[in-house]
Amino acid sequence: MIDIFLLMFLVIFSIYSIHTEDLLSSVIVLSAFSFVMTIVWTRLNAVDVAFTEAAVGAGVSTIIFLSALSRTKRGEEKRVTKKINIYNLFAALIVIFTGSVLVYGTIDMPAFGDIEAPAYNVLAPRFIIGSMAELGIKNFVTSILASYRGYDTLGETTVIFTAGVSVVALLRRKGGT
Amino acid sequence: MIIEYITKKMIPFIQIYALYVITHGDLGPGGGFQGGVIFGTSIILYIVVFGMERGKRLFPLKIIDFFGSLGVLIYSTVGILCLLWGGHYLEYTKLPFRNPHLAAHLGILLVEVGVAITVFAVMVVFIFDMARKKDA
């Protein structure tokens, strides 16, 4: 019951933040969206993800959006008149085609929460049983992230570093920082 | 005035919580990324309340830039150290400590600290460089 309420909130928040013309209130509503999302993750027992969602989604990304807004205008530009030309039709066709190929690709995947899915039968027991003997780390989410998937985490850290470097390269001016 | 007072009282607690999350990543939820973000949030709170100038006096841009690269450097250095002691890249159990479990523990802790430093520094860089300057 509470899940349905939360999902309704999510839908309402996202539709509002897309359709409002005031970008500031859109950012604030997105922050509220992240907060509700935190509760949803907690109810799904994914505390790690809830943690990240609360810190990044509701906190830092709101601040980043706001500081980006401080460089632009608060309102949305009026949209230009919509007319259908051949390029738009072509683009729509490509989008529909790609989307249907992707949907076709998911048909073979196991159903959500399927107990027969390979991920639950091969990898999960391997990590849950094996990681304690191999690494001795009590929280095996951490041992997966930092050790078994160590390359991925190194890549993520590099991505964050690269984002910082790009912001510096694009926006920092000599003297007037 | 009230906001400044409350912020001054809150920031140490936020930072201690962030350090707890970083160092206890192998016991509870969280880890380097989350802890680094929380630590960055405390600095961002300071900047939002006390202004950009005081924030820059506390964390000069040069030091923040240095921290941003230091984190990635720590992470990759741990990987190379594992190579030196005959393991694969990032195979912590080969690090020269008393037993493999202790080695894995310390290796993962170092890596988490590296992630946290980079994340924290990049968050602060975002704020410093993206928010509008007075003259621009």
Side-chain angles (χ1 to χ4, degrees):
Chain A
M1 192 61 198
I2 190 170
D3 286 329
I4 293 174
F5 270 118
L6 290 175
L7 288 177
M8 266 171 50
F9 269 123
L10 289 181
V11 172
I12 293 170
F13 283 161
S14 42
I15 289 177
Y16 179 82
S17 67
I18 290 172
H19 278 278
T20 179
E21 303 236 313
D22 185 3
L23 292 176
L24 183 61
S25 60
S26 172
V27 169
I28 301 300
V29 169
L30 272 183
S31 162
F33 178 93
S34 286
F35 184 70
V36 177
M37 209 56 210
T38 307
I39 304 174
V40 172
W41 291 127
T42 315
R43 286 186 56 77
L44 289 172
N45 281 338
V47 192
D48 280 73
V49 191
F51 227 120
T52 318
E53 183 81 42
V56 179
V60 174
S61 69
T62 310
I63 297 277
I64 290 176
F65 276 137
L66 285 180
S67 51
L69 265 186
S70 77
R71 285 179 171 260
T72 55
K73 274 182 274 177
R74 180 173 164 173
E76 217 169 73
E77 300 267 316
K78 279 277 166 280
R79 296 217 179 85
V80 283
T81 48
K82 291 164 190 159
K83 48 179 182 183
I84 299 174
N85 61 23
I86 188 80
Y87 295 111
N88 290 356
L89 270 180
F90 190 59
L93 274 181
I94 288 181
V95 168
I96 291 171
F97 176 73
T98 318
S100 17
V101 168
L102 289 178
V103 169
Y104 177 74
T106 60
I107 290 176
D108 274 349
M109 284 179 71
F112 180 70
D114 184 4
I115 203 162
E116 301 287 316
Y120 299 135
N121 288 315
V122 184
L123 272 182
R126 165 76 180 75
F127 285 143
I128 293 171
I129 299 166
S131 75
M132 190 65 200
E134 280 172 5
L135 295 170
I137 305 289
K138 289 195 184 75
N139 180 2
F140 60 85
V141 174
T142 298
S143 63
I144 289 174
L145 283 181
S147 183
Y148 295 107
R149 299 276 182 271
Y151 283 127
D152 289 13
T153 311
L154 178 60
E156 282 162 18
T157 315
T158 317
V159 165
I160 294 170
F161 175 64
T162 316
V165 169
S166 349
V167 165
V168 169
L170 284 174
L171 297 177
R172 186 175 292 176
R173 295 284 172 269
K174 234 179 193 173
T177 54
Chain B
M1 180 65 196
I2 298 174
I3 295 178
E4 290 184 5
Y5 183 80
I6 293 176
T7 309
K8 269 183 189 163
K9 294 285 177 239
M10 266 175 67
I11 283 179
F13 291 103
I14 299 177
Q15 289 180 341
I16 286 194
Y17 180 59
L19 293 180
Y20 170 81
V21 170
I22 295 171
T23 48
H24 288 243
D26 49 351
L27 297 175
F33 185 78
Q34 288 88 346
V37 170
I38 295 173
F39 202 88
T41 315
S42 74
I43 307 296
I44 289 174
L45 181 67
Y46 184 87
I47 294 169
V48 166
V49 171
F50 292 101
M52 199 78 96
E53 291 308 313
R54 282 183 69 175
K56 271 185 188 148
R57 228 179 302 151
L58 196 64
F59 289 96
L61 277 177
K62 273 184 184 166
I63 293 181
I64 283 295
D65 291 351
F66 172 72
F67 274 139
S69 15
L70 180 71
V72 183
L73 188 69
I74 290 176
Y75 200 138
S76 38
T77 309
V78 171
I80 291 173
L81 284 181
C82 298
L83 280 182
L84 286 185
W85 269 281
H88 297 291
Y89 193 69
L90 293 176
E91 190 182 359
Y92 312 110
T93 45
K94 289 289 197 312
L95 286 173
F97 291 105
R98 258 182 294 128
N99 56 49
H101 284 188
L102 184 68
H105 201 85
L106 290 174
I108 288 179
L109 182 67
L110 264 179
V111 162
E112 300 274 13
V113 168
V115 174
I117 290 176
T118 291
V119 169
F120 144 74
V122 169
M123 294 298 146
V124 180
V125 162
F126 275 163
I127 279 300
F128 276 155
D129 282 332
M130 279 179 78
R132 190 179 53 189
K133 318 298 185 287
K134 272 178 200 149
D135 49 349

